Amino acid sequence: MNIGFVGLGIMGKPMAMNLLKAGHRLNIFTTNEETLNEFRQKGAVITISPKELGRVSDVVITMLPDSPQVREVALDEEGLFYGLGPAKLFIDMSTIDVATVLEIHEKFRTLGVETLDAPVSGGEVGAVSASLSIMAGGSTEAFARVLPIFQVLGKKISHMGAIGAGQITKSCSQIATALATQGVIEAFTLAKSAGVDVAKVREALLGGFAESRVLSLTGERMIRRDFKPGFKVELYRKDLRIALSAAKERALFLPGAELMSGEMEQLLQAGKGDLDFSALIQVMEK
């Protein structure tokens, strides 16, 4: 397919590379010269603006940090809105609020452009290994059309329903992962305080009902003190803000998510927002 891509960061870059490796034509827009040159050498087409990217691409993917960046790329004067046209398709794979998803969807619909919200889970490891979990919202027809793209990027691919359903599902994923992380932190804290080898505790738990990807991957990072960002605390804090906002709109109180959001805020206040979310163990240690 003829694919445009904006957002070549920790996760977007390997995702775009996987599309190139799979034989798709890739058009990119980036202001990072090093990234631009790397993709040019791999055969990607360089564009000068999101507007031009939309003009030369049939399908455009964004993978950006937050709602304001997606809105800017989509709707600013040199944005995708002024380059896309009928029969083209826009997929936002960022994690953003549903209100922004719906705003862009309504505006693009006036152009005859289909949209999907398709946030992902799996972090940098999943992006590199093309094993992401993809949660898509949008029409059945649009989902079927881009399924071959999703199959290059991920292993678990789910059509969740109408536009916006993908983002709600991602919020559910982030809440569940955050609380699983808290469980690992508290288990490790108890083990350490009792003088039991934390690494051995992790190995023992991996053989029982407590086994999880969080215990396996994030737990290992905690033990090795490897807080190099795979998924940054500041981005996770943003994701929980979105989840808590969605809960508030529905008059729901989510105490666990509130707790984890507060712990992430402590790391942000300490200037540690660029660390991997496994660094949350430092809050308990402090």
Side-chain angles (χ1 to χ4, degrees):
M1 294 187 185
N2 180 23
I3 303 169
F5 207 107
V6 185
L8 302 169
I10 289 176
M11 293 184 64
K13 182 177 178 180
M15 290 167 66
M17 283 294 184
N18 285 333
L19 290 171
L20 267 177
K21 292 174 185 176
H24 294 288
R25 171 190 165 99
L26 187 71
N27 313 303
I28 66 165
F29 169 74
T30 180
T31 57
N32 184 303
E33 286 294 327
E34 182 179 346
T35 300
L36 185 150
N37 290 330
E38 185 176 352
F39 274 90
R40 179 186 283 123
Q41 291 171 9
K42 297 289 186 180
V45 176
I46 311 302
T47 62
I48 61 172
S49 68
K51 176 181 177 180
E52 184 190 2
L53 184 78
R55 183 178 59 79
V56 301
S57 306
D58 297 324
V59 177
V60 175
I61 298 171
T62 49
M63 186 65 181
L64 295 162
D66 202 350
S67 304
Q69 291 84 7
V70 176
R71 184 183 290 108
E72 178 183 350
V73 166
L75 302 177
D76 268 14
E77 288 183 2
E78 288 296 311
L80 295 169
F81 183 82
Y82 299 96
L84 292 170
K88 296 194 175 187
L89 201 149
F90 172 68
I91 313 169
D92 179 43
M93 302 189 77
S94 323
T95 299
I96 64 174
D97 60 80
V98 174
T100 301
V101 170
L102 296 177
E103 177 189 3
I104 294 171
H105 173 71
E106 291 300 323
K107 290 185 181 296
F108 281 16
R109 189 166 64 170
T110 66
L111 302 173
V113 175
E114 287 262 31
T115 61
L116 287 166
D117 64 302
V120 303
S121 180
E124 182 183 14
V125 172
V128 171
S129 63
S131 60
L132 292 168
S133 175
I134 301 172
M135 301 150 268
S139 74
T140 302
E141 294 76 17
F143 178 78
R145 179 177 165 189
V146 300
L147 184 57
I149 293 175
F150 290 157
Q151 289 170 333
V152 171
L153 303 175
K155 296 297 184 187
K156 178 67 175 179
I157 303 161
S158 305
H159 183 215
M160 303 310 304
I163 193 76
Q167 293 296 347
I168 293 295
T169 307
K170 177 61 184 292
S171 287
C172 295
S173 172
Q174 295 302 74
I175 291 168
T177 303
L179 295 182
T181 302
Q182 182 70 6
V184 171
I185 289 170
E186 293 186 15
F188 284 5
T189 300
L190 176 60
K192 186 176 181 181
S193 70
V196 180
D197 188 320
V198 175
K200 288 185 176 180
V201 169
R202 172 180 167 275
E203 286 299 321
L205 296 183
L206 285 173
F209 201 66
E211 182 173 1
S212 69
R213 285 178 61 81
V214 171
L215 179 62
S216 175
L217 301 178
T218 309
E220 183 183 24
R221 276 177 169 264
M222 291 175 184
I223 292 169
R224 289 191 288 110
R225 314 300 290 181
D226 175 15
F227 303 138
K228 177 185 175 183
F231 188 64
K232 295 181 181 180
V233 171
E234 63 181 355
L235 292 178
Y236 210 142
R237 171 68 177 81
K238 177 264 300 182
D239 289 358
L240 284 188
R241 171 184 56 77
I242 290 171
L244 290 168
S245 177
K248 185 177 180 181
E249 290 172 5
R250 293 158 178 81
L252 298 175
F253 176 55
L254 306 178
E258 292 279 5
L259 170 69
M260 293 304 293
S261 179
E263 291 185 5
M264 291 175 192
E265 185 62 30
Q266 289 184 51
L267 285 184
L268 291 177
Q269 293 299 323
K272 297 181 178 181
D274 282 343
L275 298 181
D276 185 77
F277 75 94
S278 55
L280 283 165
I281 195 169
Q282 294 181 345
V283 176
M284 182 70 77
E285 291 170 342
K286 181 180 178 181

